[in-house]
Amino acid sequence: MSLGRKLALFLLLAAVAPLAGVGFALLARVQRTLGERTAAEQLARAETAAATVTEDLERTDRELDAFLRAWRPDRLTDPELQRLLFLLSQQVSGANAAAVVDAAGSVRAAVDEAARPAGDPSTQAFVAALRATAAAPDAGLVLAVYEDPARGPLVAAVRGVRAEAGAGWLVGARLDPERTRRRLDAAAAAGGGAWLLDARGGPLVASSGAGPLAAEERDEVAAALAPDRRGALQGRRLVAAWAPLGNGTGWGILVAVPARVAYADVIRTRREVLAASALVLAVVLAAAALLARRLAAGLARIDAAARALGSGDLAVRLPVRGGDEVAAVSATFNGMAEELGRARAKLEGWNEELRLEVEARTRDLEAAHARLLEAQKLAAVGRLGAGVAHEINNPLAGILGNAQLLLEEKAPGDPDREALSTIEDLARRCRDVVRRLLRFSQQGAQPDLRELDLNAVVSEALALAGGEVAAGGAPVDVVLADPAPRVRGDAGQLARVVLDLVWNARAACDGRSGARIRVETARAADGARILVQDGGKGIPAEDLPHLFEPFFTTKARWTDVGLGLPAAYAVVSAHGGRIDVSSRPGEGSTFTVSLPGAKGATV
């Protein structure tokens, strides 16, 4: 079941159920109370009407008895009997016709207030009722019910009269139903009716406007009310009361109101409650639909935002409207998204820092590995150079000495003298190469580290070679830091490094007009720097990785056999420093020697 349906059902139960349940329960209670009151009122009316009708019948009996005691019909002639019956119909309460039947069953006289003739069907029906009555003398009044062809059920009050001959006569008075109807009209409630019923439940007289009882209504009355005692009925069709007459005839008064009339106010109120419940139900369902739609829309937004957040979109935000739970959840979601965004930014920052740190460490490892390789190469070349120098130094000295002796023996102009001079020059060059190899192989010795003034080391080195370098066409500009940087190192080895770098700069500037060399010292956070910058031809990018390899050279003239920079690299590494090179072809090169400070050096 969807949330909207659950909400609608809950609101329906919360709003309509109490209204309908409590309302209908109260209405049912009101209906029972109203039925009880109506039944009690009907019973009072029925008892009053029964007492009145009983009194009327008793009066009729007394008047008829008194009249008959004064007038003996068996002693009168027919004309006298006719006048007797006329007086009887006028003086007996409720009588509108009278008749006398002798012992043989013959009608001696009959009088009708409507002056109907003796052969009238209504009069004949009245006389037939007298004949059928077994009224005995001195037995009291007998009420005979008969069917009048024109007026329906009628009642005849009959008394037996003892004659002198011993045979009994019958004198009867037809009772006017209008008197009883007036009594019933007084007993009938508004919208209901009253009936005089005989012992079998047949209606004798009904109040004005009261129709005959339906079969279902008669059955309901017969099932609920006993003929011999008073009682009230709250039935499905009638609210009624029954009161028997007090003359032992089994007759009684039924006063009834249709249930729809008795409960009209309750029924109307129930309909109003039903209408109100329907209206409340419609309002509740409409409110539930609107609320469910709003809630469903809010939950849909939250679901979509959660999916977007789960897919990595940390910029998603929810609108916060109102102060309900959806707004609270939306605000919490936005806070969570912001926290996740900050956490992602922090993680990305950490990742970037880690990446940079890894790259820096990787570069340091690569540089350390490169320096280690270079150191291994230099150590190998040093060992090789020392061995080669020792092997060829003595033969080379012999060749050079013999060449010089032969030159002394040759006169100027001798054709062999030029060849011997060439041999001498080549031998000298070989001797210089051997000396450099020996010096390079000796660089592996541990330097004598002392606290030094780096400015003084650079100045002394340039004093030895600055003039010769400047004479080569490349002026040297010297910039010394103030105060002077102090390092721990071997002054001789560091001076040789400066000289090697300056000689390389001079060689790079050969043939370039206006090229200058700049030598600078500088203080650094972790030590000191020596910068040797030239305006020479520059170094191709593909040659930069090989600069510190032994016997590698970029010089056009192969003079120093490529051992100067490897020797400088070995010295700087032994001092715990490094050499960095930056160069652009055609624009010159910059060599930066980084050395640890005096406090950081180790001996």
Side-chain angles (χ1 to χ4, degrees):
M1 184 181 292
S2 65
L3 180 60
R5 292 182 178 178
K6 291 181 180 178
L7 182 60
L9 181 59
F10 172 77
L11 292 178
L12 178 64
L13 293 176
V16 177
L19 176 62
V22 175
F24 284 113
L26 291 176
L27 287 175
R29 182 177 179 182
V30 169
Q31 180 172 331
R32 288 194 301 271
T33 303
L34 181 60
E36 292 172 356
R37 289 183 179 180
T38 303
E41 181 183 354
Q42 301 293 72
L43 183 58
R45 290 174 178 270
E47 289 178 341
T48 301
T52 304
V53 172
T54 300
E55 183 180 353
D56 289 341
L57 293 175
E58 290 176 350
R59 182 184 300 115
T60 299
D61 184 25
R62 290 193 302 270
E63 292 175 349
L64 183 59
D65 181 62
F67 192 84
L68 292 178
R69 288 181 184 275
W71 297 84
R72 293 292 298 272
D74 56 336
R75 298 176 181 178
L76 300 177
T77 64
D78 288 344
E80 290 174 339
L81 287 174
Q82 193 73 21
R83 288 193 297 271
L84 170 67
L85 294 179
F86 178 77
L87 291 174
L88 187 148
S89 64
Q90 294 295 319
Q91 295 180 9
V92 175
S93 300
N96 61 6
V100 176
V101 178
D102 61 13
S106 300
V107 178
R108 297 293 300 274
V111 175
D112 189 289
E113 68 175 3
R116 294 184 178 91
D120 183 76
S122 178
T123 303
Q124 291 180 354
F126 171 53
V127 171
L130 292 180
R131 290 173 178 167
T133 302
D138 301 328
L141 185 68
V142 176
L143 298 176
V145 180
Y146 69 97
E147 187 72 24
D148 188 280
R151 303 172 69 178
L154 291 177
V155 178
V158 182
R159 260 191 172 273
V161 179
R162 187 179 300 276
E164 292 180 352
W169 288 40
L170 296 176
V171 178
R174 186 179 65 194
L175 300 180
D176 187 0
E178 292 301 322
R179 184 180 67 170
T180 305
R181 182 171 288 110
R182 288 192 297 271
R183 306 298 187 190
L184 297 177
D185 287 344
W195 294 265
L196 174 61
L197 304 180
D198 61 16
R200 294 175 298 177
L204 300 175
V205 184
S207 62
S208 300
L213 293 172
E216 296 83 358
E217 294 174 342
R218 289 198 304 268
D219 293 340
E220 191 173 58
V221 170
L225 299 177
D228 58 345
R229 62 176 180 272
R230 68 187 184 92
L233 164 67
Q234 299 180 52
R236 187 171 59 89
R237 295 177 177 275
L238 294 175
V239 177
W242 167 261
L245 300 182
N247 54 10
T249 59
W251 295 5
I253 302 297
L254 176 66
V255 180
V257 177
R260 66 179 184 279
V261 176
Y263 302 137
D265 293 338
V266 176
I267 294 173
R268 182 174 61 255
T269 303
R270 184 180 288 114
R271 290 174 180 172
E272 292 175 354
V273 170
L274 285 175
S277 300
L279 179 61
V280 171
L281 175 61
V283 173
V284 167
L285 290 178
L290 292 176
L291 183 60
R293 183 179 301 175
R294 179 180 177 187
L295 184 60
L299 294 178
R301 289 195 300 270
I302 294 174
D303 179 69
R307 292 177 182 275
L309 186 66
S311 63
D313 184 9
L314 300 184
V316 64
R317 295 294 184 273
L318 288 171
V320 181
R321 305 189 188 99
D324 56 5
E325 287 75 7
V326 173
V329 173
S330 299
T332 303
F333 178 87
N334 293 340
M336 180 184 66
E338 291 176 0
E339 281 295 326
L340 288 176
R342 287 192 291 269
R344 172 184 278 187
K346 187 179 295 185
L347 287 176
E348 290 178 349
W350 288 346
N351 289 339
E352 182 64 20
E353 292 177 1
L354 182 60
R355 185 185 64 81
L356 296 176
E357 183 69 18
V358 169
E359 291 179 354
R361 297 290 182 177
T362 301
R363 288 193 297 269
D364 292 343
L365 288 175
E366 291 176 349
H369 184 258
R371 289 194 295 270
L372 178 61
L373 290 178
E374 293 297 332
Q376 291 175 347
K377 290 178 183 179
L378 293 176
V381 171
R383 290 192 295 271
L384 176 63
V388 171
H390 285 293
E391 291 295 331
I392 67 174
N393 192 34
N394 292 332
L396 189 59
I399 293 172
L400 181 59
N402 290 328
Q404 291 174 347
L405 290 175
L406 290 174
L407 280 174
E408 290 178 358
E409 295 176 358
K410 299 295 182 180
D414 190 329
D416 295 331
R417 187 176 180 84
E418 183 177 356
L420 291 172
S421 296
T422 302
I423 292 171
E424 182 185 16
D425 291 338
L426 293 176
R428 289 180 183 277
R429 288 183 62 185
C430 290
R431 183 190 63 187
D432 293 338
V433 169
V434 170
R435 287 178 179 175
R436 286 186 173 85
L437 280 175
L438 287 174
R439 188 173 70 248
F440 178 76
S441 63
Q442 294 171 357
Q443 295 294 335
Q446 187 73 19
D448 183 13
L449 299 180
R450 300 176 184 274
E451 186 173 341
L452 302 174
D453 182 342
L454 190 60
N455 288 350
V457 172
V458 172
S459 298
E460 291 175 1
L462 293 178
L464 295 175
E468 184 178 355
V469 172
V476 179
D477 299 326
V478 181
V479 179
L480 301 178
D482 186 19
R486 300 191 67 80
V487 298
R488 290 184 64 82
D490 189 314
Q493 291 186 5
L494 291 179
R496 185 62 188 175
V497 169
V498 173
L499 287 177
D500 286 339
L501 294 177
V502 170
W503 281 112
N504 278 341
R506 176 181 176 279
C509 293
D510 283 348
R512 295 181 64 85
S513 177
R516 303 181 68 87
I517 299 173
R518 176 185 177 88
V519 179
E520 179 181 350
T521 62
R523 299 172 63 88
D526 55 349
R529 305 281 188 271
I530 302 174
L531 282 79
V532 178
Q533 185 178 17
D534 63 72
K537 61 182 181 179
I539 304 171
E542 61 272 15
D543 292 340
L544 288 176
H546 308 289
L547 287 180
F548 299 106
E549 294 179 0
F551 303 108
F552 178 83
T553 183
T554 60
K555 299 174 182 177
R557 186 167 58 89
W558 202 69
T559 57
D560 205 16
V561 298
L563 292 175
L565 287 180
Y569 184 89
V571 171
V572 173
S573 296
H575 281 72
R578 68 177 188 274
I579 300 178
D580 298 314
V581 183
S582 62
S583 179
R584 302 183 68 176
E587 298 181 8
S589 304
T590 300
F591 287 79
T592 302
V593 178
S594 300
L595 296 171
K599 294 181 180 180
T602 57
V603 178

